[in-house]
Amino acid sequence: MIQQCVTSFDLQPVLCSTLPDIAAFVHEWRSREPEDPLVRPIVRETVCSIERRLRWLLRETPAGTSNSVLGFCVRDSLGAIKGVNLCFPVSFWSADKRILGLCSGTFFVEPSARSMGFYLFKKCLNLPGYSLQFASTCNARSSDLWRAIGASPVPKSETEYIIPTRADNVIAAYVAYKTSSRTAGKLACVGSRSVNPIVRALMRSRSNITVQPCQDWDKLSELSRRHRSLKNVTNERSPSFLQWRYGIGSPLYPCAVYLFRDERGNEGWFS
C-alpha cells in the first residue's frame, strides 16, 4: 500500500463562491467538539444553516465594502481546507467620525497545518481600507498571535456579569467546572433549587417601568445616537444595521428587542 504524504499548503482568499466549502469545514470542525449537557448543550447546526449565517454576516452586512475578500483559508495540495480565518467589517462612531473596523472571527487551523496559522492570521490583518482590526473573542492560541504583533486586550473586557435567574443551573455548572465531576454537579443542582425563589424575589423590580416589544428601527437608532457617549468609541446602530441584526432577514430571527419607559417618559431599549 502506498500512502500519499501531503506536505505543501497554499493560502487562498475566501470569496462568496468559497462559502459552501468553508461551511462544510466549520461543520466538521464543530462536530468534533465534546458535548457536556450539564454545562452548555451545543446546538448542532447543519452545513446549510452555517452557510446561510456566514453569507448574512460576511456579505449582507450594511457595513460591507466593495472588497470581495471575506477572509483567507489554507488548502493542502489535494485542495482540502485545513484552516480558515474569516473577517467582516464593523462600523463605529468616535465623536462625529465614522470608523470602519475589521473583525477577525472563525479562526481555526488543523494541527497538520499549524505552521501556516500565523501567515493566515497576518493575511487578514493586511486587508486595506480599515482603521482598526480586532477580535471579539480569543482562545489561548489566537491571543498569543495578537500579542505577537503588539495588540492588547481592551481593559476590563475579560470581566463577565451574570444574573443567575436559575441559581441551580449556575451553581451546578460552577461545581462541575471546578471539580470536573458530573455527579457533584448534579448533586449541586438538586441542592440549590431552593435558592431560586429567593433570587427571583430579590430581582423583582420596584420601579414603575413599562416594557414592550419594539421593531421601530428609526426610533431605536435615534435613542442610541442621542444617548451615546461622545468620549468613547461606540458601535454604529443605524436603522439599516438594526434591521439587519434583529429583523426578519437575520438567521437569528426572531430576536427579542424591547423598549422600556419610566413614569417620566425616559426611554431605553435592550435586546
Side-chain angles (χ1 to χ4, degrees):
M1 181 181 291
I2 299 176
Q3 183 179 6
Q4 184 175 4
C5 183
V6 179
T7 56
S8 61
F9 298 100
D10 185 28
L11 283 175
Q12 297 180 4
V14 173
L15 309 174
C16 268
S17 58
T18 323
L19 288 181
D21 289 345
I22 298 296
F25 173 77
V26 172
H27 181 266
E28 173 63 23
W29 161 42
R30 288 186 172 173
S31 67
R32 303 174 197 162
E33 294 181 346
E35 185 171 357
D36 187 352
L38 187 63
V39 179
R40 180 172 64 92
I42 297 174
V43 177
R44 301 298 183 184
E45 292 184 277
T46 65
V47 175
C48 291
S49 65
I50 292 175
E51 182 183 347
R52 169 70 188 96
R53 183 165 50 81
L54 291 180
R55 288 187 184 277
W56 168 78
L57 179 65
L58 303 173
R59 292 303 301 164
E60 298 173 13
T61 168
T65 66
S66 58
N67 193 344
S68 60
V69 177
L70 311 177
F72 292 89
C73 65
V74 177
R75 291 186 186 266
D76 63 23
S77 58
L78 298 179
I81 295 179
K82 295 298 179 181
V84 63
N85 191 11
L86 303 178
C87 44
F88 54 94
V90 181
S91 296
F92 300 94
W93 279 97
S94 175
D96 295 327
K97 183 180 179 182
R98 185 175 183 264
I99 299 174
L100 192 62
L102 188 67
C103 183
S104 171
T106 316
F107 179 37
F108 178 76
V109 183
E110 291 190 353
S112 61
R114 191 73 72 194
S115 61
M116 298 295 293
F118 184 74
Y119 303 101
L120 179 65
F121 179 72
K122 288 283 286 184
K123 270 283 191 181
C124 282
L125 295 184
N126 289 332
L127 286 173
Y130 300 97
S131 300
L132 59 97
Q133 287 88 14
F134 69 101
S136 55
T137 59
C138 288
N139 57 27
R141 287 194 178 95
S142 56
S143 294
D144 290 340
L145 287 177
W146 279 102
R147 289 189 176 91
I149 60 170
S152 60
V154 176
K156 300 181 181 179
S157 61
E158 71 281 359
T159 304
E160 281 188 301
Y161 297 94
I162 299 175
I163 300 175
T165 56
R166 290 292 304 274
D168 53 342
N169 288 344
V170 174
I171 293 172
Y174 179 78
V175 171
Y177 172 75
K178 286 293 185 181
T179 64
S180 300
S181 170
R182 291 194 178 191
T183 302
K186 290 178 181 178
L187 290 174
C189 181
V190 173
S192 56
R193 282 175 185 166
S194 59
V195 182
N196 285 334
I198 300 174
V199 173
R200 288 171 189 150
L202 292 174
M203 291 177 61
R204 227 171 255 147
S205 173
R206 291 186 176 89
S207 0
N208 190 10
I209 293 178
T210 59
V211 180
Q212 62 187 61
C214 181
Q215 290 195 355
D216 184 342
W217 312 124
D218 291 307
K219 179 180 182 63
L220 300 179
S221 177
E222 174 59 21
L223 278 173
S224 297
R225 184 201 64 78
R226 191 188 315 155
H227 299 294
R228 71 182 178 90
S229 171
L230 297 179
K231 297 180 181 179
N232 300 316
V233 176
T234 59
N235 283 85
E236 179 184 56
R237 294 182 176 90
S238 63
S240 59
F241 169 82
L242 295 177
Q243 185 172 11
W244 168 79
R245 175 63 180 81
Y246 301 114
I248 195 170
S250 168
L252 306 175
Y253 187 85
C255 304
V257 185
Y258 293 95
L259 180 74
F260 59 89
R261 184 184 295 108
D262 68 11
E263 294 172 309
R264 298 182 179 181
N266 297 311
E267 294 179 316
W269 65 271
F270 64 92
S271 63

